[in-house]
């Protein structure tokens, strides 16, 4: 099926972290009681008038600038007409022919690949409410708290050529948006949602094939899985002579299949027209320039700086910048201990392992940069072995106490005294006479086995640097 090319475009809806909603003063807050953050404006009641939230506009421009997009000076809002039960006024305030920004791009770099995905447009709009279906009671309930929440819709050109590229784009976009601090990007809360358009065409063709739109995907893994399913379906359909129908599909994550939702609407189906309650206006170029000057350091910029400033390689710097809080934690540690490579190793190894096992984020842990650096220094200075150091880290995270206290109270300090080590070494040699004989005959590699046995008996507290020499000497001396 390699004679076809996959064409994918993505639409990301980003919920902006403003204090209030986009057109009214209701709190923009997740997790409140149903219908507690609503007013006549977000419910669209007669006589109510929307007023644009300036912070939402700032965030939208900031995100667009970070995406290398052109900011359109003329701002106009439009009514997108359709009826959903969770959109009480029967239309959505959005932007149609004059989005906030156009013609941007995002550099997508992974450990192995690099690509540029063009951004077609980014525009502001309000969110709808939320339906909750109670099957036991045989009814549906609606919560309008989310109605009027500010969204930034970011639309790509159809530049993506595989589900994996789509996955990489989404991760890169999310990381950049997190660095901007304009959204929590929490998919579980619905702060970041993605729709995908997918089609195939014969390799070498320029015309697009009939596309399917995928909705209701609650994770990037689900996006990738849904796209893989649809690409396979489209190719099998094309080969068998079937006809692909343009439609909107839902992804069933449990069954691993797509199911029809509705026939795809075109723009004219929405009967866009300018919102008469929101006066068009122009943006002052100086205002846009001031936001451009305030842009924070973005992930790729930080990665290059880490490589230059700290001498880190591509892998270490990539791991560190893949989470904003971790990159900041690394720099806090680097200020306290001039050994950035060792700090990077401890973060990308034992610390990230702890975070993954605990299914949390760094900021959830009871770990300060001072305590973390003290642990690394304890290992580097030979107070504890590298193996024990990892156990100390686990205890630090469990107990929220310093490495020094845990090492002292736990009696985990490394044993470097020859007389203390000799006792264990002699015991291990006596228990493994054949290995000792091999060493005596010149098989130096066998020493490692006995070192491991001593480390096991000492519960990782023996100094491994001394053991090899001590074992060899004891065996040579008979």
């Amino acid at each position: 099926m390699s004679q076809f090319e996959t064409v994918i475009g993505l639409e990301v809806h980003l919920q902006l972290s403003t204090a209030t909603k986009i057109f009214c003063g209701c709190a923009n807050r997740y997790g409140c009681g149903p219908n507690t953050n609503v007013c006549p404006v977000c419910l669209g009641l007669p006589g109510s008038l929307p007023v644009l939230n300036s912070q939402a506009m700032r965030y939208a421009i900031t995100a667009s600038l970070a995406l290398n997009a052109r900011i359109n000076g003329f701002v106009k809002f439009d009514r997108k007409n359709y009826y959903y039960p969770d959109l009480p006024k029967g239309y959505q305030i959005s932007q149609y022919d004059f989005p906030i920004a156009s013609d941007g791009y995002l550099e997508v770099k992974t450990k192995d690949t690099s690509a540029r995905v063009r951004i077609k447009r980014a525009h502001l709009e309000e969110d709808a409410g939320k339906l909750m279906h109670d099957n036991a009671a045989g009814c549906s309930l609606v919560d309008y708290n989310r109605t009027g929440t500010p969204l930034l819709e970011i639309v790509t050109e159809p530049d993506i050529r595989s589900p994996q590229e789509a996955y990489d784009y989404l991760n890169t976009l999310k990381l950049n948006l997190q660095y901007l601090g304009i959204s929590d990007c929490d998919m579980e809360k619905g702060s970041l949602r993605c729709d995908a358009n997918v089609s195939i065409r014969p390799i070498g063709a320029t015309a697009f094939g009939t596309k399917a739109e995928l909705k209701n995907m609650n994770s990037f893994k689900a996006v990738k899985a849904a796209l893989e399913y649809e690409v396979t379906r489209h190719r099998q359909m094309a080969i068998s002579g079937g006809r692909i129908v343009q439609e909107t599909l839902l992804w069933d994550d449990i069954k691993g299949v797509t199911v029809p939702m509705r026939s795809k609407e075109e723009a004219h189906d929405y009967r866009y027209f300018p919102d008469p309650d929101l006066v068009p206006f122009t943006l002052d170029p100086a205002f846009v320039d001031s936001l451009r000057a305030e842009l924070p350091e973005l992930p790729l910029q930080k990665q290059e700086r880490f490589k230059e400033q700290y001498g880190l390689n591509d892998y270490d710097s990539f791991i560190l910048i893949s989470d904003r809080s971790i990159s900041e934690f690394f720099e806090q540690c680097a200020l306290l201990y001039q050994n950035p490579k060792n700090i990077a190793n401890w973060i990308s190894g034992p610390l990230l392992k702890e975070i993954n096992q605990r299914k949390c984020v760094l900021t959830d842990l009871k770990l300060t940069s001072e305590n973390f650096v003290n642990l690394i220094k304890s290992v580097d200075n030979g107070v504890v072995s590298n193996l024990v150091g990892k156990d100390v880290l686990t205890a630090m995270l469990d107990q929220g106490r310093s490495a020094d206290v845990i090492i002292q109270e736990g009696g985990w300090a490394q044993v470097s005294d020859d007389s203390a080590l000799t006792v264990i070494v002699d015991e291990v040699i006596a228990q493994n006479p054949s290995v000792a004989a091999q060493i005596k005959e010149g098989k130096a590699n066998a020493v490692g086995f006995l070192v491991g046995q001593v480390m096991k008996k000492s519960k990782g507290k023996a100094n491994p640097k001394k053991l090899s020499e001590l074992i060899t000497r004891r065996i040579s001396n008979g």
Side-chain angles (χ1 to χ4, degrees):
M1 292 194 287
S2 60
Q3 66 270 39
F4 295 106
E5 178 183 52
T6 299
V7 179
I8 297 171
L10 298 176
E11 301 174 4
V12 166
H13 287 86
L14 176 73
Q15 196 175 90
L16 302 174
S17 299
T18 54
T20 56
K21 296 183 180 181
I22 187 170
F23 297 122
C24 67
C26 289
N28 177 24
R29 191 179 307 140
Y30 179 83
C32 297
N35 297 309
T36 53
N37 293 327
V38 294
C39 74
V41 172
C42 52
L43 291 176
L45 297 183
S48 60
L49 291 174
V51 177
L52 178 62
N53 182 334
S54 62
Q55 188 62 57
M57 177 61 72
R58 285 174 177 270
Y59 282 171
I61 295 173
T62 297
S64 300
L65 291 172
L67 293 170
N68 307 290
R70 183 187 74 246
I71 305 301
N72 298 314
F74 180 69
V75 178
K76 178 169 81 68
F77 286 92
D78 305 274
R79 291 186 179 182
K80 183 181 181 182
N81 293 277
Y82 59 87
Y83 179 76
Y84 285 144
D86 52 0
L87 192 65
K89 57 192 175 190
Y91 63 86
Q92 178 190 33
I93 301 178
S94 182
Q95 293 187 287
Y96 178 46
D97 47 355
F98 290 94
I100 292 291
S102 310
D103 304 326
Y105 65 88
L106 179 65
E107 298 287 356
V108 180
K109 291 186 178 180
T110 68
K111 286 182 287 187
D112 307 313
T113 63
S114 178
R116 173 176 289 190
V117 176
R118 291 175 297 158
I119 304 298
K120 181 178 183 180
R121 59 183 283 155
H123 66 259
L124 275 170
E125 62 186 24
E126 61 180 344
D127 206 349
K130 184 177 181 181
L131 285 175
M132 292 165 287
H133 304 292
D134 188 337
N135 294 328
C139 66
S140 294
L141 306 171
V142 60
D143 180 2
Y144 290 122
N145 277 351
R146 199 174 65 181
T147 307
T149 294
L151 295 179
L152 181 66
E153 182 172 339
I154 301 169
V155 183
T156 76
E157 296 285 358
D159 288 350
I160 299 168
R161 291 293 172 267
S162 71
Q164 181 62 50
E165 280 189 13
Y167 181 80
D168 294 336
Y169 164 82
L170 290 170
N171 276 307
T172 303
L173 177 64
K174 180 182 178 183
L175 183 61
N176 276 268
L177 295 171
Q178 287 176 325
Y179 269 64
L180 295 174
I182 61 174
S183 171
D184 61 18
C185 297
D186 190 334
M187 296 191 77
E188 289 187 1
K189 297 178 183 175
S191 301
L192 189 66
R193 287 166 267 159
C194 177
D195 299 338
N197 293 306
V198 57
S199 63
I200 61 168
R201 62 185 174 188
I203 291 177
T206 55
F208 294 122
T210 302
K211 66 183 179 183
E213 183 179 17
L214 296 167
K215 285 183 172 292
N216 202 31
M217 296 171 287
N218 57 8
S219 71
F220 293 166
K221 287 184 179 177
V223 174
K224 182 170 177 281
L227 285 171
E228 288 171 343
Y229 179 87
E230 273 304 298
V231 169
T232 300
R233 186 178 72 87
H234 281 222
R235 293 187 178 201
Q236 290 174 339
M237 188 78 77
I239 291 172
S240 64
R243 188 173 72 90
I244 299 169
V245 179
Q246 180 170 326
E247 59 185 337
T248 301
L249 304 166
L250 293 175
W251 173 243
D252 188 326
D253 210 12
I254 297 175
K255 295 180 180 177
V257 299
T258 57
V259 293
M261 177 183 177
R262 62 172 185 259
S263 296
K264 173 63 181 171
E265 296 93 344
E266 300 293 347
H268 58 76
D269 293 325
Y270 294 121
R271 295 171 289 114
Y272 282 97
F273 64 84
D275 191 304
D277 293 334
L278 288 161
V279 178
F281 61 94
T282 56
L283 291 171
D284 183 349
F287 170 66
V288 176
D289 288 342
S290 68
L291 294 179
R292 192 191 310 275
E294 294 173 1
L295 281 177
E297 185 178 43
L298 295 173
L300 286 181
Q301 296 169 332
K302 181 169 282 190
Q303 184 179 13
E304 290 305 312
R305 181 170 64 80
F306 277 13
K307 288 161 62 178
E308 182 177 348
Q309 182 174 345
Y310 299 110
L312 301 178
N313 58 30
D314 283 336
Y315 175 79
D316 288 333
S317 56
F318 178 80
I319 295 296
L320 292 175
I321 62 96
S322 297
D323 183 289
R324 181 179 174 179
S325 61
I326 286 177
S327 70
E328 293 171 348
F329 184 73
F330 164 76
E331 293 216 84
Q332 293 167 11
C333 294
L335 284 174
L336 301 171
Y337 187 34
Q338 307 305 312
N339 195 339
K341 173 59 179 170
N342 216 8
I343 296 170
N345 289 343
W346 270 88
I347 290 177
S348 61
L351 182 55
L352 283 183
K353 182 181 178 184
E354 291 284 349
I355 289 173
N356 291 333
Q357 286 178 341
R358 294 164 191 261
K359 297 180 180 177
C360 66
V361 295
L362 175 65
T363 50
D364 294 332
L365 300 177
K366 300 173 183 176
L367 183 66
T368 65
S369 54
E370 291 80 5
N371 281 342
F372 190 61
V373 163
N374 284 338
L375 169 63
I376 298 173
K377 286 181 177 177
S378 296
V379 175
D380 290 352
N381 295 332
V383 177
V384 293
S385 67
N386 190 66
L387 188 64
V388 170
K390 294 173 183 175
D391 292 334
V392 173
L393 176 62
T394 301
M396 289 168 64
L397 301 180
D398 289 340
Q399 303 170 21
R401 298 196 297 170
S402 71
D404 294 342
V405 171
I406 290 171
I407 292 170
Q408 185 178 5
E409 291 187 359
W412 285 356
Q414 188 165 252
V415 178
S416 300
D417 179 66
D418 278 7
S419 59
L421 291 177
T422 299
V423 174
I424 310 176
V425 166
D426 287 347
E427 183 181 340
V428 167
I429 290 174
Q431 291 173 347
N432 298 275
S434 60
V435 178
Q438 291 175 13
I439 296 171
K440 199 162 188 175
E441 293 169 359
K443 192 173 181 181
N445 291 341
V447 174
F449 175 78
L450 296 186
V451 169
Q453 295 302 303
V454 176
M455 291 297 293
K456 190 175 180 182
K457 281 184 173 291
S458 69
K459 298 181 179 177
K461 293 194 290 184
N463 185 336
K465 293 179 181 176
K466 285 201 167 189
L467 285 178
S468 180
E469 178 188 339
L470 188 58
I471 290 170
T472 305
R473 189 168 69 237
R474 297 294 289 178
I475 292 176
S476 299
N477 293 337

